[in-house]
Amino acid sequence: LDIWTKDLGGGPFTRLTHDGRDHLPAWSPDGRLVAFIRDSGTASAVYARPADASGPERLLARLNTVVADVTWSHDGRWLVLGTAAGDIVGVRPGEGRAPIPLVATPAFEEAPALSPDDRWLAYTSDESGGVEVYVRPFPNTGGGRWEVGGWAPVWSRTGRELFYLDVNSRLWAAR
């Protein structure tokens, strides 16, 4: 497991990592960095490296659990991580490495998705007894919670719609 980039205009493959434990690459909004997860088996660290491999990797956060999802905020000020423990945490690159709990309940939360304006966090949770998509304000996730339904949330480019799948894998949109 290593991270590679490829110039789609015909350039070569570039190997970004050599550790053999790196996965879940996520492009920064400006395309200059690639964040990725390095697992030790029971814990994860989040690193970033220039996409062209022109500089060293930089540690962004260390977690005492395995990271299962990673996404950048559109303004580049946050990394939002879903953990194998079933919580969603945030990391502020450049402002410390301690993860900030965003959604940490007894339920299992996963698949975080930020709206294009970074005002809303959608995620999947089993708190209702079934799997459902919920939406909360971001980054102040304590400001309310709305059940949408389904699973696997993805925002439209405009942020006016949230797409999700139902139990029969049919695609739905919430406005």
Side-chain angles (χ1 to χ4, degrees), residues 134-149:
Y134 291 85
V135 176
R136 292 178 181 252
F138 179 80
N140 300 318
T141 55
R145 175 182 54 81
W146 297 269
E147 183 179 328
V148 176

Side-chain angles (χ1 to χ4, degrees), residues 108 110-111 123-134 147-153 164-167:
F108 189 88
E110 63 182 343
Y123 60 95
T124 301
S125 175
D126 66 359
E127 74 179 77
S128 69
V131 177
E132 304 287 343
V133 171
Y134 291 85
E147 183 179 328
V148 176
W151 55 281
Y164 60 94
L165 298 173
D166 69 12
V167 295

Side-chain angles (χ1 to χ4, degrees), residues 45-143:
V46 182
Y47 290 88
R49 184 153 190 220
D52 62 1
S54 64
E57 61 189 37
R58 177 173 52 113
L59 178 66
L60 300 179
R62 191 173 304 279
L63 287 81
N64 292 325
T65 186
V66 173
V67 173
D69 299 294
V70 59
T71 187
W72 286 89
S73 64
H74 297 85
D75 63 10
R77 295 176 48 206
W78 288 88
L79 273 172
V80 178
L81 312 169
T83 72
D87 294 323
I88 297 174
V89 299
V91 174
R92 305 279 312 252
E95 295 185 28
R97 297 182 186 149
I100 300 163
L102 296 173
V103 184
T105 72
F108 189 88
E109 292 96 14
E110 63 182 343
L114 290 171
S115 64
D117 62 4
D118 292 327
R119 292 183 53 214
W120 303 101
L121 171 65
Y123 60 95
T124 301
S125 175
D126 66 359
E127 74 179 77
S128 69
V131 177
E132 304 287 343
V133 171
Y134 291 85
V135 176
R136 292 178 181 252
F138 179 80
N140 300 318
T141 55

